[in-house]
Amino acid sequence: MNYRECYLYGKEKFIQAEIAEAELDARLLLEYVCGTDRTTLFAHPDREVSDAEYERYVNCIAKRAQHIPLQHITGVQEFMGLEFYVNKDVLVPRQDTELLVEEAMIHLHDGMRILDMCTGSGCILCSLLHYSNHCEGVGADLSEKALAIAQKNAEKLQTEKVTFLQGDLFENVTGSFDMIVSNPPYIRSDVIPTLMVEVKEHEPYMALDGKEDGLYFYRKIISGSREYLKKGGMLFLEIGYDQGEAVSSLMKENGFRDVCVKKDYSGFDRIVYGEL
Ligand code: GLN
């Protein structure tokens, strides 16, 4: 078996299994199994793979064909140019969330204290700390299992001055912050059954579920932030495409000024932020 034959095998299996990005996933898994990159695969389609590699590839293809997320097979996801460990206990970092980090970075100054509420894999907080100087971060999450992954990510990225706290939202948070960031669960409970199998059956339900109207966590985080933000501190929230108005109103009602809604690259409302 060579690279090309393996790739075609994977692609065919994925088309049959109705995997959304059959070609891409077949290639990424081949890169993963053979420890190679895209350029090498394209430049050397005739290069033979070992029996062990072929066996591993077939195995990975079988898993992905059952709609197990690609990142649960490879164990990693790139986010903000950094590689994060992921597993079934955390939401896989999304490209949309990079916009939250980029927007927050514009307002982040050296030495600030940042709180990441519902930190999950820690991707938002670790990225902010990685790309800034002398900032200090606290990541809070209800899930102990998620925090274990966040901690592993902080160690892998050698993130300094970071603490992870288990608790129900602000329950165990102390002190005050210059910036609070959050990508909380925001999908309406009745929408969850309509999501892709990869998401609804394999990603943590608690990381998705924004309860009845999807806004449960925004209410709690926005009102709670008033107690934990310094004067002039800023709150940055990722939102669903149809939540811009509701979430910005909630922020204004809670005393936030200069509330802005930013669109993502697909043209959908994605980030709301404002100053207290
Ligand atoms: N903050 C994490 C992320 O953006 C987890 C979000 C969540 O669990 N809803 O990936």
Side-chain angles (χ1 to χ4, degrees), residues 172-186:
N172 295 320
V173 176
T174 53
S176 57
F177 299 86
D178 302 284
M179 185 180 274
I180 299 180
V181 291
S182 183
N183 174 25
Y186 59 69

Side-chain angles (χ1 to χ4, degrees), residues 5 12 89 97 127 132 141 177-178 191 216 232 237 239 274:
E5 288 160 340
E12 197 44 48
D89 299 320
T97 306
S127 304
S132 61
D141 206 289
F177 299 86
D178 302 284
V191 170
Y216 176 87
L237 298 168
I239 55 161

